[in-house]
Amino acid sequence: MSTEQILDHIEQCRQKMMFLASRSSMVDNEVIEVSSKLDSLIIQYIHLTKSEDLMDRRALK
């Protein structure tokens, strides 16, 4: 998955979480599940961008 795709998924997940939380509460089980998925996507994005940054640095040497 590309960084752009992950960012799209992050935004969709964030919007879903905010919508669900507005209809219930931040401690609702469904909100927590979506929040966990969002966390996972953010971690994926961080790892992907770090590895791309590392590859870019190596290419400059």
Side-chain angles (χ1 to χ4, degrees), residues 2 11 14 16 18 24 34 41:
S2 72
E11 182 57 24
R14 186 192 67 77
K16 182 177 181 179
M18 297 304 292
S24 58
V34 175
L41 287 167

Side-chain angles (χ1 to χ4, degrees), residues 6-60:
I6 293 176
L7 286 173
D8 287 341
H9 286 289
I10 287 171
E11 182 57 24
Q12 291 169 10
C13 196
R14 186 192 67 77
Q15 288 178 7
K16 182 177 181 179
M17 183 185 70
M18 297 304 292
F19 172 76
L20 291 171
S22 72
R23 296 181 72 211
S24 58
S25 75
M26 291 299 280
V27 294
D28 180 77
N29 285 337
E30 193 174 8
V31 175
I32 292 170
E33 285 178 27
V34 175
S35 176
S36 294
K37 181 178 179 183
L38 179 58
D39 290 345
S40 176
L41 287 167
I42 291 170
I43 290 167
Q44 232 182 317
Y45 177 79
I46 290 168
H47 285 294
L48 185 60
T49 56
K50 277 188 177 183
S51 66
E52 286 176 353
D53 185 46
L54 182 59
M55 288 171 42
D56 288 346
R57 287 184 194 175
R58 287 181 181 164
L60 292 175

